[in-house]
Amino acid sequence: MVSSQSHPAPAPRNLPGADAEDLALYREKFRRRLPASLDELHGPAAGVVSLPLHMAWSGLTSYDLTEPRRRMGLYRTVLHEGLHDDLPLFLNRDLLLRMWPVLRTLVGRTVRAVWEDAFPELASRAGAAA
């Protein structure tokens, strides 16, 4: 697990005290879920993936990885809803790196910032074409 010393959540700027504190807590929620390294992500790269209800609680539960839109949907859901132990099971390092330039535009600002702050290899792909 990533320690708070290695990737502290940056303090939000230009927000009233309570809002800044809420945003910092929200960022910390996602930061605590991060793997120590992208190399821990050994999820499937092919086939059909079925998510448990704690992640797919409001929609599609099964994703065919051969379909680009479904694959993006799976990764978006896992990044937002997955817990620390879910990430290595459902995310694949190589797919994440390849999809990141587009995927980063589909996830929330907080999720994107937390992942790019923690993993420079994602941040460096921010401008690359998918």
Side-chain angles (χ1 to χ4, degrees):
M1 186 173 213
V2 177
S3 73
S4 60
Q5 280 83 4
S6 63
H7 302 293
R13 291 176 251 164
N14 303 323
L15 291 175
D19 290 340
E21 185 176 327
D22 287 348
L23 183 56
L25 288 172
Y26 188 63
R27 287 179 64 92
E28 183 63 17
K29 173 181 92 166
F30 289 107
R31 194 203 56 75
R32 283 193 317 260
R33 296 175 182 183
L34 294 174
S37 165
L38 293 182
D39 292 335
E40 293 180 16
L41 305 178
H42 296 290
V48 175
V49 176
S50 295
L51 293 179
L53 286 178
H54 72 272
M55 281 191 283
W57 51 268
S58 69
L60 194 60
T61 60
S62 192
Y63 300 82
D64 184 344
L65 295 179
T66 63
E67 297 179 31
R69 293 185 81 172
R70 297 287 189 213
R71 189 171 52 238
M72 286 285 180
L74 169 74
Y75 274 65
R76 183 175 185 269
T77 299
V78 173
L79 290 171
H80 279 272
E81 305 296 337
L83 303 176
H84 177 75
D85 291 343
D86 295 321
L87 301 180
L89 297 174
F90 294 102
L91 299 179
N92 178 282
R93 177 193 177 277
D94 294 337
L95 281 179
L96 180 64
L97 287 168
R98 187 172 62 212
M99 294 179 356
W100 191 253
V102 173
L103 182 60
R104 70 182 303 277
T105 68
L106 302 175
V107 298
R109 183 181 326 204
T110 300
V111 171
R112 178 176 56 247
V114 166
W115 279 80
E116 288 183 354
D117 289 348
F119 304 110
E121 58 265 54
L122 290 176
S124 70
R125 298 184 59 80

